[in-house]
Amino acid sequence: MIKPQRLKKGDKVAIVSLSSGMLGDKEYLHKYNLGKKRLEEKFELEVVTMPNALKGSNYLYEHPQKRAEDFMNAFLDPGIRAIITSIGGDDTIRLLPYIDYEIIRNNPKIFTGFSDTTANHLMMFKAEIVSYYGPALMSDFAEYGAMYDYTETAIRELLFEGKDHFEIKKCPYWVNEDIPWDEENIGKSRKQIPDEKGYEIIQGSGTARGRLFGGCIDAFPMYNGTSLWPSPDQLKRNILFLETSEDYPSPEFLTYYLRNLGAQGILEQTVGIIVGKPAKEKYYEEYKHAYCKILKEFNREDIPVFYNANFGHCAPIGIIPYGIECELDTIQKKITLLESVVQ
Protein backbone atom coordinates (compact mmCIF):
# COMPACT_ATOMS: atom_id res chain seq x y z
CA MET A 1 0.00 0.00 0.00
CA ILE A 2 1.24 3.47 -0.93
CA LYS A 3 1.23 6.07 1.85
CA PRO A 4 0.36 9.70 1.02
CA GLN A 5 2.60 12.55 2.08
CA ARG A 6 1.93 13.99 5.53
CA LEU A 7 0.20 17.32 6.00
CA LYS A 8 1.94 20.53 6.97
CA LYS A 9 0.78 24.05 7.71
CA GLY A 10 -0.23 25.94 4.59
CA ASP A 11 -1.18 22.83 2.58
CA LYS A 12 -4.28 22.88 0.42
CA VAL A 13 -7.10 20.50 1.34
CA ALA A 14 -10.13 19.81 -0.85
CA ILE A 15 -13.72 19.59 0.38
CA VAL A 16 -15.87 17.15 -1.60
CA SER A 17 -19.50 16.01 -1.41
CA LEU A 18 -19.36 12.40 -2.61
CA SER A 19 -22.63 11.11 -1.16
CA SER A 20 -25.27 13.42 0.30
CA GLY A 21 -25.15 16.97 -1.08
CA MET A 22 -26.58 18.54 2.06
CA LEU A 23 -23.44 20.61 2.64
CA GLY A 24 -24.71 22.98 -0.05
CA ASP A 25 -28.30 23.19 1.18
CA LYS A 26 -29.16 26.65 2.48
CA GLU A 27 -29.99 25.47 6.01
CA TYR A 28 -26.59 23.76 6.39
CA LEU A 29 -24.21 26.25 4.83
CA HIS A 30 -23.29 27.44 8.32
CA LYS A 31 -21.82 23.97 8.91
CA TYR A 32 -19.63 24.40 5.84
CA ASN A 33 -18.45 27.78 7.07
CA LEU A 34 -17.71 26.49 10.57
CA GLY A 35 -15.77 23.47 9.33
CA LYS A 36 -13.83 25.57 6.83
CA LYS A 37 -12.93 28.06 9.55
CA ARG A 38 -11.64 25.27 11.81
CA LEU A 39 -9.44 23.86 9.06
CA GLU A 40 -8.04 27.32 8.33
CA GLU A 41 -7.56 28.59 11.88
CA LYS A 42 -6.97 25.49 14.00
CA PHE A 43 -4.90 23.48 11.50
CA GLU A 44 -3.62 26.38 9.35
CA LEU A 45 -4.64 24.72 6.10
CA GLU A 46 -5.87 26.33 2.89
CA VAL A 47 -9.35 25.08 1.98
CA VAL A 48 -10.27 24.42 -1.66
CA THR A 49 -13.96 23.67 -2.12
CA MET A 50 -14.45 21.57 -5.23
CA PRO A 51 -16.82 23.05 -7.87
CA ASN A 52 -19.80 20.76 -7.24
CA ALA A 53 -19.50 20.31 -3.47
CA LEU A 54 -21.98 23.08 -2.63
CA LYS A 55 -24.56 22.50 -5.37
CA GLY A 56 -27.02 20.94 -2.94
CA SER A 57 -28.80 17.68 -2.30
CA ASN A 58 -31.05 17.58 -5.36
CA TYR A 59 -28.36 18.39 -7.91
CA LEU A 60 -25.80 15.96 -6.53
CA TYR A 61 -28.32 13.16 -6.21
CA GLU A 62 -29.21 13.61 -9.87
CA HIS A 63 -25.58 13.95 -11.01
CA PRO A 64 -23.36 11.29 -9.39
CA GLN A 65 -20.87 11.82 -12.22
CA LYS A 66 -20.31 15.38 -10.92
CA ARG A 67 -19.49 14.06 -7.48
CA ALA A 68 -16.98 11.66 -9.05
CA GLU A 69 -15.61 14.49 -11.19
CA ASP A 70 -14.76 16.48 -8.06
CA PHE A 71 -13.15 13.40 -6.52
CA MET A 72 -10.97 12.71 -9.56
CA ASN A 73 -10.05 16.37 -10.08
CA ALA A 74 -8.96 16.68 -6.47
CA PHE A 75 -6.48 13.87 -7.10
CA LEU A 76 -5.33 15.44 -10.36
CA ASP A 77 -4.64 18.86 -8.79
CA PRO A 78 -0.96 18.77 -7.78
CA GLY A 79 -1.50 21.55 -5.24
CA ILE A 80 -4.04 19.61 -3.17
CA ARG A 81 -2.56 17.44 -0.41
CA ALA A 82 -5.69 16.02 1.25
CA ILE A 83 -9.36 15.37 0.50
CA ILE A 84 -12.04 15.64 3.19
CA THR A 85 -15.60 14.43 2.69
CA SER A 86 -18.45 16.68 3.71
CA ILE A 87 -20.72 13.95 5.14
CA GLY A 88 -21.94 10.43 4.43
CA GLY A 89 -25.24 9.41 2.86
CA ASP A 90 -26.45 6.29 1.10
CA ASP A 91 -25.46 6.16 -2.58
CA THR A 92 -21.72 6.70 -3.03
CA ILE A 93 -21.71 3.39 -4.91
CA ARG A 94 -23.26 5.29 -7.86
CA LEU A 95 -19.86 6.93 -8.44
CA LEU A 96 -18.33 3.57 -9.37
CA PRO A 97 -18.63 3.88 -13.20
CA TYR A 98 -16.77 7.19 -13.16
CA ILE A 99 -13.71 6.23 -11.10
CA ASP A 100 -10.24 6.08 -12.65
CA TYR A 101 -8.02 3.99 -10.38
CA GLU A 102 -4.85 4.97 -12.22
CA ILE A 103 -5.51 8.61 -11.33
CA ILE A 104 -5.83 7.68 -7.65
CA ARG A 105 -2.80 5.36 -7.72
CA ASN A 106 -0.56 7.92 -9.44
CA ASN A 107 -1.59 10.82 -7.20
CA PRO A 108 -1.71 9.54 -3.61
CA LYS A 109 -3.34 11.97 -1.18
CA ILE A 110 -4.75 11.85 2.31
CA PHE A 111 -8.45 11.01 2.20
CA THR A 112 -10.76 10.99 5.22
CA GLY A 113 -14.42 10.35 5.96
CA PHE A 114 -16.67 7.57 7.27
CA SER A 115 -20.08 5.92 6.91
CA ASP A 116 -21.24 5.69 3.25
CA THR A 117 -17.78 7.03 2.42
CA THR A 118 -16.66 3.42 2.99
CA ALA A 119 -17.21 3.07 -0.77
CA ASN A 120 -14.55 5.71 -1.47
CA HIS A 121 -12.17 3.99 0.94
CA LEU A 122 -12.66 0.75 -0.99
CA MET A 123 -11.83 2.65 -4.19
CA MET A 124 -8.59 3.79 -2.58
CA PHE A 125 -7.91 0.30 -1.27
CA LYS A 126 -8.33 -1.06 -4.80
CA ALA A 127 -5.90 1.60 -6.03
CA GLU A 128 -3.50 0.45 -3.25
CA ILE A 129 -3.45 3.82 -1.48
CA VAL A 130 -3.70 4.08 2.31
CA SER A 131 -6.80 6.03 3.37
CA TYR A 132 -8.16 7.10 6.74
CA TYR A 133 -11.53 6.13 8.18
CA GLY A 134 -12.03 9.27 10.21
CA PRO A 135 -13.52 12.74 10.54
CA ALA A 136 -15.87 14.37 8.03
CA LEU A 137 -16.38 18.11 7.67
CA MET A 138 -19.96 18.51 8.91
CA SER A 139 -19.96 16.00 11.74
CA ASP A 140 -16.48 16.45 13.20
CA PHE A 141 -14.64 19.56 12.02
CA ALA A 142 -17.91 21.52 12.37
CA GLU A 143 -18.84 20.30 15.85
CA TYR A 144 -20.90 23.14 17.35
CA GLY A 145 -18.91 23.33 20.54
CA ALA A 146 -15.14 22.98 20.57
CA MET A 147 -13.72 20.30 18.31
CA TYR A 148 -13.03 17.19 20.40
CA ASP A 149 -9.47 16.86 21.65
CA TYR A 150 -9.53 13.12 20.89
CA THR A 151 -10.22 13.78 17.20
CA GLU A 152 -7.76 16.67 16.99
CA THR A 153 -4.97 14.59 18.55
CA ALA A 154 -5.48 11.80 16.00
CA ILE A 155 -5.33 14.28 13.11
CA ARG A 156 -2.20 16.01 14.37
CA GLU A 157 -0.22 12.95 15.47
CA LEU A 158 -1.14 10.71 12.54
CA LEU A 159 -1.66 12.97 9.53
CA PHE A 160 0.70 15.85 10.37
CA GLU A 161 3.43 14.33 12.54
CA GLY A 162 3.33 10.82 11.07
CA LYS A 163 3.87 9.36 14.51
CA ASP A 164 5.24 5.83 14.50
CA HIS A 165 3.81 3.20 16.87
CA PHE A 166 0.72 5.31 17.54
CA GLU A 167 -1.49 3.82 20.22
CA ILE A 168 -5.18 4.16 19.43
CA LYS A 169 -6.24 4.86 22.98
CA LYS A 170 -9.78 4.52 24.24
CA CYS A 171 -11.44 7.91 24.56
CA PRO A 172 -12.30 8.39 28.24
CA TYR A 173 -15.67 9.95 27.41
CA TRP A 174 -18.45 9.75 24.84
CA VAL A 175 -21.43 11.83 23.72
CA ASN A 176 -25.03 10.64 23.56
CA GLU A 177 -26.75 13.98 23.03
CA ASP A 178 -27.95 15.36 19.70
CA ILE A 179 -27.92 19.08 19.03
CA PRO A 180 -30.13 19.99 16.04
CA TRP A 181 -28.14 21.23 13.07
CA ASP A 182 -29.24 24.85 13.25
CA GLU A 183 -27.07 27.94 13.04
CA GLU A 184 -28.34 29.22 16.38
CA ASN A 185 -26.63 26.26 18.06
CA ILE A 186 -23.08 27.28 17.10
CA GLY A 187 -21.08 27.36 20.31
CA LYS A 188 -23.23 24.83 22.17
CA SER A 189 -21.31 21.85 23.52
CA ARG A 190 -22.69 18.37 24.00
CA LYS A 191 -22.43 16.80 27.44
CA GLN A 192 -19.50 14.41 27.80
CA ILE A 193 -20.25 11.12 29.56
CA PRO A 194 -17.43 9.12 31.21
CA ASP A 195 -16.85 5.90 29.27
CA GLU A 196 -16.13 3.61 32.17
CA LYS A 197 -16.28 0.38 30.14
CA GLY A 198 -13.10 1.13 28.20
CA TYR A 199 -12.06 -1.43 25.61
CA GLU A 200 -13.88 -4.70 26.16
CA ILE A 201 -12.17 -7.90 25.02
CA ILE A 202 -15.21 -10.01 24.20
CA GLN A 203 -13.20 -13.05 23.09
CA GLY A 204 -9.64 -14.17 22.38
CA SER A 205 -6.35 -13.75 24.19
CA GLY A 206 -2.72 -12.86 23.58
CA THR A 207 -1.66 -10.60 20.71
CA ALA A 208 -2.50 -10.44 17.02
CA ARG A 209 -0.88 -8.58 14.15
CA GLY A 210 -2.42 -7.84 10.80
CA ARG A 211 -3.39 -5.19 8.26
CA LEU A 212 -6.47 -3.05 8.83
CA PHE A 213 -9.53 -3.31 6.63
CA GLY A 214 -13.18 -2.49 7.28
CA GLY A 215 -15.72 0.31 7.49
CA CYS A 216 -19.46 0.67 8.02
CA ILE A 217 -20.92 -2.83 7.91
CA ASP A 218 -24.41 -1.47 7.08
CA ALA A 219 -23.12 -0.47 3.66
CA PHE A 220 -21.20 -3.66 2.85
CA PRO A 221 -24.13 -5.36 1.04
CA MET A 222 -24.01 -2.58 -1.60
CA TYR A 223 -20.44 -3.52 -2.48
CA ASN A 224 -20.71 -7.31 -2.66
CA GLY A 225 -20.46 -8.55 -6.23
CA THR A 226 -19.02 -5.28 -7.52
CA SER A 227 -15.48 -4.60 -8.72
CA LEU A 228 -14.83 -2.81 -5.41
CA TRP A 229 -15.16 -5.81 -3.15
CA PRO A 230 -11.85 -7.56 -2.39
CA SER A 231 -11.41 -11.31 -2.50
CA PRO A 232 -10.36 -13.26 0.61
CA ASP A 233 -6.89 -13.63 -0.94
CA GLN A 234 -6.56 -9.83 -0.93
CA LEU A 235 -7.39 -9.78 2.78
CA LYS A 236 -4.90 -12.30 4.11
CA ARG A 237 -3.92 -11.68 7.74
CA ASN A 238 -6.41 -8.85 8.13
CA ILE A 239 -7.64 -7.08 11.24
CA LEU A 240 -11.22 -6.10 10.54
CA PHE A 241 -12.56 -2.83 11.91
CA LEU A 242 -16.35 -2.77 11.78
CA GLU A 243 -18.99 -0.31 12.95
CA THR A 244 -22.71 0.30 12.62
CA SER A 245 -24.55 3.49 11.70
CA GLU A 246 -27.21 5.74 13.17
CA ASP A 247 -29.75 3.61 11.27
CA TYR A 248 -29.27 1.13 14.13
CA PRO A 249 -29.18 -2.09 12.09
CA SER A 250 -30.86 -4.92 13.95
CA PRO A 251 -28.79 -7.58 15.71
CA GLU A 252 -30.29 -9.99 13.17
CA PHE A 253 -28.90 -7.95 10.27
CA LEU A 254 -25.48 -7.87 11.90
CA THR A 255 -25.66 -11.64 12.40
CA TYR A 256 -26.58 -12.22 8.75
CA TYR A 257 -23.81 -10.04 7.41
CA LEU A 258 -21.12 -11.40 9.70
CA ARG A 259 -22.23 -14.82 8.51
CA ASN A 260 -21.78 -13.57 4.94
CA LEU A 261 -18.18 -12.55 5.73
CA GLY A 262 -17.66 -16.06 7.02
CA ALA A 263 -19.21 -17.65 3.94
CA GLN A 264 -16.95 -15.55 1.70
CA GLY A 265 -13.89 -16.91 3.48
CA ILE A 266 -12.94 -13.52 4.89
CA LEU A 267 -13.25 -14.53 8.54
CA GLU A 268 -10.89 -17.41 7.80
CA GLN A 269 -8.25 -14.82 6.87
CA THR A 270 -9.00 -12.57 9.87
CA VAL A 271 -6.59 -12.46 12.81
CA GLY A 272 -8.50 -9.93 14.94
CA ILE A 273 -11.47 -7.57 14.98
CA ILE A 274 -12.00 -4.03 16.29
CA VAL A 275 -15.66 -3.09 16.79
CA GLY A 276 -16.77 0.54 16.98
CA LYS A 277 -19.02 1.76 19.77
CA PRO A 278 -22.61 1.32 18.51
CA ALA A 279 -24.36 4.62 17.82
CA LYS A 280 -25.81 5.84 21.13
CA GLU A 281 -24.94 2.37 22.49
CA LYS A 282 -28.17 0.94 21.05
CA TYR A 283 -27.94 -2.87 20.84
CA TYR A 284 -24.65 -2.64 22.75
CA GLU A 285 -24.96 -6.07 24.38
CA GLU A 286 -26.89 -7.65 21.49
CA TYR A 287 -24.12 -6.83 19.00
CA LYS A 288 -21.54 -8.46 21.26
CA HIS A 289 -23.61 -11.64 21.25
CA ALA A 290 -23.84 -11.53 17.43
CA TYR A 291 -20.05 -11.32 17.03
CA CYS A 292 -19.37 -14.17 19.43
CA LYS A 293 -22.10 -16.33 17.90
CA ILE A 294 -20.88 -16.01 14.32
CA LEU A 295 -17.19 -16.39 15.17
CA LYS A 296 -18.08 -19.59 17.00
CA GLU A 297 -20.00 -20.83 13.94
CA PHE A 298 -16.88 -20.37 11.80
CA ASN A 299 -14.47 -21.78 14.39
CA ARG A 300 -12.82 -18.40 14.99
CA GLU A 301 -13.18 -18.25 18.76
CA ASP A 302 -9.41 -17.95 18.85
CA ILE A 303 -9.16 -14.40 17.46
CA PRO A 304 -9.20 -11.35 19.74
CA VAL A 305 -12.14 -8.97 19.44
CA PHE A 306 -11.81 -5.45 20.85
CA TYR A 307 -15.20 -3.84 21.45
CA ASN A 308 -16.28 -0.21 22.08
CA ALA A 309 -13.64 1.59 19.98
CA ASN A 310 -13.99 5.24 18.92
CA PHE A 311 -14.57 5.37 15.18
CA GLY A 312 -17.53 5.78 12.89
CA HIS A 313 -20.98 6.68 14.20
CA CYS A 314 -20.09 7.63 17.74
CA ALA A 315 -18.61 10.80 19.16
CA PRO A 316 -15.84 11.62 19.45
CA ILE A 317 -13.99 9.62 16.80
CA GLY A 318 -10.38 9.01 15.91
CA ILE A 319 -8.77 7.61 12.74
CA ILE A 320 -8.40 4.02 11.53
CA PRO A 321 -6.06 3.71 8.50
CA TYR A 322 -6.65 1.09 5.80
CA GLY A 323 -3.78 -1.26 5.01
CA ILE A 324 -1.59 -0.33 7.97
CA GLU A 325 0.01 -2.99 10.18
CA CYS A 326 -1.69 -3.06 13.57
CA GLU A 327 -1.24 -4.98 16.82
CA LEU A 328 -4.00 -6.00 19.21
CA ASP A 329 -2.72 -6.76 22.71
CA THR A 330 -5.43 -8.29 24.87
CA ILE A 331 -3.22 -8.41 27.96
CA GLN A 332 -2.55 -4.67 28.05
CA LYS A 333 -5.78 -3.82 26.19
CA LYS A 334 -3.84 -1.85 23.59
CA ILE A 335 -4.41 -1.18 19.89
CA THR A 336 -1.17 -0.01 18.28
CA LEU A 337 -0.35 1.05 14.72
CA LEU A 338 3.06 -0.48 14.06
CA GLU A 339 4.15 1.99 11.39
CA SER A 340 3.66 5.58 10.37
CA VAL A 341 0.47 6.03 8.33
CA VAL A 342 1.95 8.74 6.06
CA GLN A 343 5.28 9.41 4.38
Side-chain angles (χ1 to χ4, degrees), residues 16 24 40 57 75 154 161 193 257 272 338-339:
V16 291
E40 291 172 340
S57 295
F75 281 104
E161 298 174 22
I193 305 168
Y257 201 74
L338 298 178
E339 55 184 314

Side-chain angles (χ1 to χ4, degrees), residues 22-38 54 137-138 141-144 179-187:
M22 65 190 296
L23 182 68
D25 294 346
K26 183 179 179 180
E27 63 267 38
Y28 301 122
L29 278 172
H30 69 280
K31 274 279 190 179
Y32 162 73
N33 291 321
L34 179 57
K36 181 174 181 286
K37 183 179 180 181
R38 290 253 173 82
L54 296 178
L137 187 77
M138 297 181 78
F141 289 99
E143 179 70 31
Y144 280 139
I179 293 179
W181 282 10
D182 190 296
E183 191 166 4
E184 68 180 16
N185 290 323
I186 291 177

Side-chain angles (χ1 to χ4, degrees), residues 41-336:
E41 296 182 359
K42 182 177 284 291
F43 296 99
E44 299 181 61
L45 297 167
E46 182 180 342
V47 174
V48 177
T49 304
M50 298 305 288
N52 297 292
L54 296 178
K55 288 189 176 178
S57 295
N58 291 338
Y59 180 87
L60 289 182
Y61 173 73
E62 293 169 359
H63 297 88
Q65 71 275 22
K66 291 297 182 181
R67 294 182 252 158
E69 183 179 293
D70 280 355
F71 192 42
M72 293 294 94
N73 285 339
F75 281 104
L76 285 170
D77 186 333
I80 290 173
R81 299 294 295 274
I83 304 168
I84 300 171
T85 52
S86 60
I87 196 66
D90 61 14
D91 75 333
T92 305
I93 194 66
R94 296 173 65 212
L95 276 58
L96 189 54
Y98 312 106
I99 300 302
D100 187 326
Y101 297 99
E102 287 302 310
I103 287 176
I104 299 174
R105 185 176 296 110
N106 293 330
N107 299 277
K109 299 176 193 288
I110 287 170
F111 174 79
T112 180
F114 68 98
S115 191
D116 190 47
T117 304
T118 298
N120 303 109
H121 287 292
L122 295 184
M123 293 167 189
M124 306 248 338
F125 188 82
K126 181 173 180 175
E128 301 180 325
I129 306 296
V130 172
S131 63
Y132 311 90
Y133 198 81
L137 187 77
M138 297 181 78
S139 55
D140 304 288
F141 289 99
E143 179 70 31
Y144 280 139
M147 190 173 177
Y148 294 117
D149 55 351
Y150 184 83
T151 306
E152 183 177 346
T153 295
I155 293 167
R156 293 193 185 281
E157 295 194 5
L158 290 176
L159 303 186
F160 280 80
E161 298 174 22
K163 188 173 181 179
D164 199 0
H165 278 69
F166 178 84
E167 181 185 345
I168 302 178
K169 295 181 179 179
K170 180 74 187 81
C171 186
Y173 61 90
W174 68 292
V175 173
N176 193 28
E177 178 186 11
D178 287 330
I179 293 179
W181 282 10
D182 190 296
E183 191 166 4
E184 68 180 16
N185 290 323
I186 291 177
K188 291 184 180 179
S189 296
R190 296 190 280 176
K191 182 180 178 181
Q192 296 179 4
I193 305 168
D195 198 336
E196 297 174 352
K197 293 185 285 291
Y199 285 138
E200 294 191 61
I201 313 300
I202 62 173
Q203 71 157 54
S205 60
T207 61
R209 290 188 176 190
R211 296 204 171 270
L212 290 160
F213 176 85
C216 181
I217 198 169
D218 307 27
F220 279 11
M222 285 191 284
Y223 316 139
N224 275 352
T226 72
S227 59
L228 276 185
W229 194 246
S231 69
D233 284 345
Q234 293 173 293
L235 296 177
K236 287 182 178 177
R237 205 175 55 83
N238 76 79
I239 290 178
L240 286 175
F241 62 92
L242 302 171
E243 58 105 5
T244 45
S245 79
E246 78 281 14
D247 290 336
Y248 311 115
S250 70
E252 290 77 17
F253 172 89
L254 180 61
T255 297
Y256 299 156
Y257 201 74
L258 289 172
R259 192 173 280 138
N260 175 272
L261 294 179
Q264 289 186 62
I266 289 173
L267 293 182
E268 184 179 348
Q269 305 289 356
T270 299
V271 298
I273 300 176
I274 307 169
V275 182
K277 177 189 283 292
K280 294 191 175 181
E281 290 197 346
K282 187 170 182 178
Y283 299 130
Y284 188 91
E285 294 299 327
E286 292 89 341
Y287 285 170
K288 286 197 287 187
H289 176 74
Y291 276 95
C292 292
K293 175 182 178 179
I294 298 306
L295 291 170
K296 182 178 181 179
E297 286 182 6
F298 287 90
N299 299 311
R300 296 315 320 268
E301 293 172 281
D302 57 314
I303 64 174
V305 178
F306 276 62
Y307 196 82
N308 195 33
N310 295 92
F311 65 94
H313 293 82
C314 61
I317 63 169
I319 293 172
I320 308 285
Y322 284 75
I324 292 296
E325 188 82 9
C326 177
E327 180 181 79
L328 305 182
D329 184 337
T330 64
I331 299 168
Q332 300 187 65
K333 286 192 175 182
K334 284 186 177 182
I335 301 173
T336 307

